[in-house]
Amino acid sequence: MIVVLTGAPGAGKGTQASKLSERCGHRKVSTGDALRRQVKLGTPIGQKAGALMAKGELVPDDVLFEVLREELGPGKKGEVILLDGYPRKISQAETLETLRESHPVGGAIQLEVPREELIARLSGRRVCEDCGATYHLVNSPPKNGTHCDACNSEKLIQRSDDNPESVAYRLDVYEQNTRPILDFYKKSGCYTEVDGSKGTEEVFQQLEAEIKRIQKA
Ligand code: AMP
């Protein structure tokens, strides 16, 4: 079963999906992470996606569908897949429905965070180039200052799309294209909202409880 984590860039979907994966054993699938891997490897998909991603543009649906199908795999009974970054528009939500035999969507949880907070989070975000762990220069810097806590790499970089122009653009793209999918899930009766501006642990606990409720439904 899929649980869609929705929310604007910087809302904490990736951080929370990683925590839920570590602590509850759910599987995280992030289309953004998958695309960044393809860009790093220089694959044909990566070559199509790289420039669009740096500007904060959405990558075309057909490319995304290919990435998504590969990442989801055949689907195992009882498995919960936390989907981070997909769907980002109505057409993608409809496409996801075509996979419902193997991957039914059990719920969609929106992490709601005010725009000013999103801008502050994204502009201070740093990512480990080697293992993907994320930090914030002010709110959650690495413990030893310059090295990744998880893998000790010193390659803590700013994502190419976390510059001010791309951040503003991505938030606009979110409002125009992605926010409408919330109505799609409200209509299908599987939508809930969590206040993503609270502390990481509090948000985690609310998400964990929501996912348990979805599993029982
Ligand atoms: P994320 O890490 O989820 O913020 O995604 C980073 C970038 O990857 C986005 O700004 C898009 O360029 C691209 N991307 C990720 N997921 C999708 C998607 N579902 N549809 C289109 N583009 C996507």
Side-chain angles (χ1 to χ4, degrees), residues 9-10 13 30-33 35-36 49 52-54 56-61 64 84-89 92 125 159 161 170:
K13 305 181 298 292
S30 156
T31 49
D33 287 350
L35 286 169
R36 278 184 287 279
L52 293 170
M53 291 172 75
E57 306 257 12
L58 294 183
V59 175
D61 281 5
L64 254 296
D84 160 19
Y86 193 100
R88 260 178 156 92
K89 50 209 269 221
Q92 294 182 356
R125 178 160 73 177
R159 263 172 55 168
D161 56 353
R170 283 156 67 209

Side-chain angles (χ1 to χ4, degrees), residues 80-147:
V80 172
I81 298 176
L82 303 169
L83 194 48
D84 160 19
Y86 193 100
R88 260 178 156 92
K89 50 209 269 221
I90 297 273
S91 56
Q92 294 182 356
E94 288 166 352
T95 298
L96 189 54
E97 286 302 308
T98 66
L99 302 177
R100 65 175 161 268
E101 287 287 310
S102 51
H103 294 293
V105 173
I109 310 177
Q110 162 75 353
L111 280 178
E112 196 60 53
V113 176
R115 188 178 171 106
E116 316 76 72
E117 169 75 15
L118 293 168
I119 292 172
R121 285 185 186 184
L122 291 168
S123 50
R125 178 160 73 177
R126 294 294 179 270
V127 183
C128 173
E129 203 177 15
D130 289 332
C131 78
T134 57
Y135 300 92
H136 188 278
L137 290 178
V138 181
N139 303 339
S140 57
K143 289 194 183 71
N144 61 14
T146 51
H147 290 61

Side-chain angles (χ1 to χ4, degrees), residues 29-44:
V29 168
S30 156
T31 49
D33 287 350
L35 286 169
R36 278 184 287 279
R37 279 197 298 276
Q38 303 264 1
V39 172
K40 210 168 168 184
L41 293 170
T43 64

